[in-house]
């Protein structure tokens, strides 16, 4: 990719975070849909329509393709609520039928404020759907053995169906050793290489799919986006989002390309895609000119940019220049309120799935 | 991909095997190299030059890029011999230093003629480099338990460093159960999902890389083909070749796209690639028009096509229309004599590597 330069995106107010040159393209956009986007009858959900002046209005309606320049907003907040409701219903049915309550254990080492916030919100989300949550809070100077002892205890606790080690771990610990200690049957994060291997292989299926990429796929499915035979580009190749997202799209029969830091012409390649998933962590990297008219854009990035008008002095934006994307794409996830809320919903869904599998409950 | 139609490739004599429409392309080819192709001083090897009339001449010379239309032939037979020589040297050094001889066990179930031939040639290749080979020949009507018992015995035999189950297994056996029984430390085929997962993940490394895709990469490396930052297309997504080849190219920092049976415009996508690996098993699928001028083409396919002039009534061709590829690409592997001989060479290399690791021999 090209070296960092300033950009001229006035709408984004985030020029200093934009490390990629906006390639000059003489190609005229053809404003026609590239992806068939129709809602399944079973999954009618609310969508907000963004007009070209950037204002949104909420309404429950089916998403249908049109040839104008206003993208539909894929509402992750709404879909995640829908999923949480479904999980709550299943948790209640399971408890009623066999007296089992799914349990999620979270291990937190140290006292990072952000990690504490994440753990708190996971606990709260568990409570809301009736999943029992367990917590092990260990001091920063714990040894690897301390952590492994807790993992082992949770592995052997029949009331725990999912185990999650909050990352990052303190520097003196080996992340790989610790993550590998989580039993594969309880690896609700889906990060175990055995799960990733099964995800990559045809005819094999992982016990768990990593939560964020699973959330991206769920958004595509619930908005009726056809994946089979479509060109998909994943920007970023991290172990927890980009790479497994590419494997999932591939399993769903898309033709997938992965764009990463060594890619020489990311804009040109991305512009070929009917479906774009960006998970690279660079504010407003993906400009309107990167997007094929009519494409569906899933923005995983959550990046803080300076904003003197915000009480906190900053605001959160995605990897995608939202306003520009809305002019070109057929559907876009906003940040916040797009993929973000899906991750915890998928964690709850994975924990329920695990409890059902362990107790053979259909 | 488009439905099967007859093609007009007279050079290939294989029209009946060609299931893909040759797309009409008005794009003029720019005959300029797309891939930097220079031999490393340490790996000067013989290359055969193919002239436009299809005849080849052998000569030892450095591969250098040129702008004419004759592709260099990537000589897998020669490289595999080079690798076998290197393995033999290391086997001798190990035996001399610590008295350990690497051992490879092959399990063959049933009496398929082709499988017997493969096993025989593996045994012969082992002997040639000084690796000890072990064999378990089980009758067609063996039970899964019989096979698992043999695998377990080999897993626990300290003189065995690699175990290979010859595929296909009889239909009454579960391939996954049997392959998973091979201990990960002896999985010289690299098919275990844990190995595949590690191959897919950044910062993780498999104990073994599957032999055929490893052979493709070795050819690229030994011919000095730069991979980082290049566009690569892998045609086919099998667990044993296409998918791991894509993961390997990705780990080497190429920008990778996988073309498969559900891809709508395989020709257009393939033509964007600086490096093409085809592993789909369709004779002459990849026509000259699919190839970007100057690209490097690795052809994994080995497909029989009718040939009344051959004593056997057929001859072997690759996935790539060789004569056409030679006119457009900068370098091509022939079939036979390209990737084919590399697979066994990589199996020997993996077995040696395993013995070194188990005995901590550097």
């Amino acid at each position: 990719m090209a070296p960092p330069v300033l950009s001229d995106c006035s709408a984004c107010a985030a020029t200093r975070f934009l490390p990629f040159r906006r390639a000059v393209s003489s190609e005229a956009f053809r404003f026609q849909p590239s992806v068939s986007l129709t809602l399944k009858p079973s999954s009618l959900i609310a969508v907000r329509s963004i007009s070209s002046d950037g204002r949104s209005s909420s309404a429950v309606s089916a998403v249908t393709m049109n040839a104008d320049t206003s993208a539909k907003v894929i509402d992750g907040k709404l879909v995640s609520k829908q999923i949480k409701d479904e999980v709550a219903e299943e948790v209640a049915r399971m408890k009623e039928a066999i007296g089992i309550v799914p349990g999620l254990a979270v291990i937190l080492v140290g006292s990072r404020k952000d990690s504490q916030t994440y753990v708190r919100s996971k606990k709260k989300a568990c409570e809301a759907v009736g999943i029992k949550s367990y917590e092990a809070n260990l001091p920063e100077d714990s040894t690897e053995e301390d952590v492994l002892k807790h993992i082992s205890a949770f592995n052997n606790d029949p009331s725990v169906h999912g185990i999650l080690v909050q990352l990052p771990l303190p520097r003196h610990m080996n992340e790989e050793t610790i993550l590998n200690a989580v039993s594969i049957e309880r690896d609700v994060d889906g990060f175990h290489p055995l799960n990733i291997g099964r995800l990559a292989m045809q005819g094999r299926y992982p016990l768990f799919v990593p939560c964020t990429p699973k959330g991206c796929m769920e958004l595509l499915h619930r908005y009726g986006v056809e994946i089979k035979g479509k060109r998909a580009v994943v920007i970023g190749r991290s172990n927890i989002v980009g790479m497994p997202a590419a494997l999932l799209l591939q399993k769903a029969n898309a033709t997938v390309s992965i764009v990463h830091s060594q890619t020489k012409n990311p804009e040109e390649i991305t512009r070929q895609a009917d479906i774009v998933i960006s998970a690279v962590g660079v504010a407003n990297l993906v400009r309107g000119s990167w997007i094929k008219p009519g494409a569906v854009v899933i923005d995983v990035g959550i990046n803080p940019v300076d904003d003197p008008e915000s009480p906190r002095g900053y605001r959160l934006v995605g990897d995608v220049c939202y306003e520009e994307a809305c002019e070109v794409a057929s559907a876009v996830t906003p940040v916040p309120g797009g993929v973000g809320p899906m991750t915890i919903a998928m964690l709850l869904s994975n924990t329920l799935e695990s409890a059902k599998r362990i107790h053979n409950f259909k």
Side-chain angles (χ1 to χ4, degrees), chain A residues 75-126:
Chain A
D75 190 336
K77 215 166 157 185
L78 194 78
V79 175
S80 75
K81 191 184 169 313
Q82 204 175 39
I83 291 168
K84 284 176 185 169
D85 289 348
E86 291 163 11
V87 169
E89 212 170 285
E90 280 294 281
V91 167
R93 188 172 72 86
M94 191 172 175
K95 188 178 176 185
E96 168 101 16
I98 60 169
I100 298 288
V101 175
L104 175 69
V106 182
I107 295 169
L108 173 63
V109 188
S111 51
R112 283 176 64 117
K113 287 265 174 294
D114 55 348
S115 292
Q116 286 173 335
T117 307
Y118 292 136
V119 168
R120 222 174 12 248
S121 63
K122 283 166 190 170
K123 202 173 164 180
K124 217 173 121 191
C126 282

Side-chain angles (χ1 to χ4, degrees), chain A residues 16-331:
Chain A
R16 80 194 59 185
F17 292 88
L18 193 79
F20 295 93
R21 189 186 303 273
R22 186 178 185 181
V24 177
S25 167
S26 61
E27 189 192 336
F29 283 140
R30 292 166 296 108
F31 283 96
Q32 51 194 25
S34 66
V35 175
S36 151
L37 186 70
T38 48
L39 264 191
K40 297 170 202 156
S42 61
S43 56
L44 271 181
I45 47 179
V47 291
R48 281 179 293 151
S49 179
I50 283 268
S51 60
S52 55
D53 64 2
R55 283 176 304 186
S56 70
S57 61
S58 285
V60 176
S61 70
V63 180
T64 48
M65 278 306 305
N66 56 34
D68 69 33
T69 61
S70 297
K72 300 296 177 190
V73 177
I74 297 178
D75 190 336
K77 215 166 157 185
L78 194 78
V79 175
S80 75
K81 191 184 169 313
Q82 204 175 39
I83 291 168
K84 284 176 185 169
D85 289 348
E86 291 163 11
V87 169
E89 212 170 285
E90 280 294 281
V91 167
R93 188 172 72 86
M94 191 172 175
K95 188 178 176 185
E96 168 101 16
I98 60 169
I100 298 288
V101 175
L104 175 69
V106 182
I107 295 169
L108 173 63
V109 188
S111 51
R112 283 176 64 117
K113 287 265 174 294
D114 55 348
S115 292
Q116 286 173 335
T117 307
Y118 292 136
V119 168
R120 222 174 12 248
S121 63
K122 283 166 190 170
K123 202 173 164 180
K124 217 173 121 191
C126 282
E127 276 165 23
V129 299
I131 288 177
K132 199 159 164 39
S133 67
Y134 303 84
E135 217 178 312
N137 291 309
L138 305 176
E140 177 82 19
D141 60 354
S142 307
T143 62
E144 260 185 40
E145 286 63 42
D146 293 332
V147 181
L148 292 173
K149 216 157 64 182
H150 277 86
I151 292 177
S152 171
F154 284 136
N155 277 340
N156 294 308
D157 184 341
S159 57
V160 171
H161 306 98
I163 301 171
L164 192 145
V165 180
Q166 184 65 44
L167 300 179
L169 287 162
R171 288 210 175 158
H172 64 280
M173 293 186 183
N174 184 322
E175 188 181 297
E176 187 174 345
T177 310
I178 287 175
L179 291 183
N180 281 356
V182 174
S183 91
I184 178 112
E185 291 81 13
R186 287 168 178 76
D187 174 35
V188 282
D189 257 342
F191 293 162
H192 197 288
L194 198 51
N195 267 325
I196 298 292
R198 288 180 180 166
L199 193 59
M201 294 169 89
Q202 280 194 85
R204 307 279 181 104
Y205 299 92
L207 289 177
F208 301 101
V209 172
C211 300
T212 304
K214 188 179 179 182
C216 297
M217 296 301 285
E218 197 65 29
L219 287 176
L220 293 173
H221 290 315
R222 298 218 176 200
Y223 273 82
V225 177
E226 200 186 330
I227 299 172
K228 182 178 163 181
K230 298 293 173 190
R231 287 290 299 273
V233 162
V234 176
I235 309 177
R237 51 176 168 169
S238 69
N239 288 342
I240 59 175
V241 189
M243 180 267 293
L247 296 178
L248 282 166
L249 287 163
Q250 156 85 21
K251 238 185 168 80
N253 288 315
T255 299
V256 185
S257 307
I258 301 184
V259 162
H260 51 76
S261 59
Q262 304 295 324
T263 299
K264 280 183 184 145
N265 42 358
E267 173 172 354
E268 185 190 325
I269 298 172
T270 306
R271 200 167 45 232
Q272 296 174 351
D274 305 306
I275 298 165
V276 176
I277 296 183
S278 184
V280 75
V282 177
N284 297 308
L285 168 68
V286 180
R287 304 295 296 265
S289 60
W290 289 43
I291 299 166
K292 178 178 175 177
V296 174
V297 179
I298 306 288
D299 188 354
V300 183
I302 301 179
N303 312 293
V305 293
D306 288 348
D307 183 359
E309 286 175 32
S310 160
R312 293 176 299 184
Y314 71 92
R315 63 189 175 95
L316 297 176
V317 301
D319 291 350
V320 177
C321 185
Y322 185 67
E323 287 76 9
E324 291 183 6
C326 285
E327 294 292 312
V328 187
S330 65

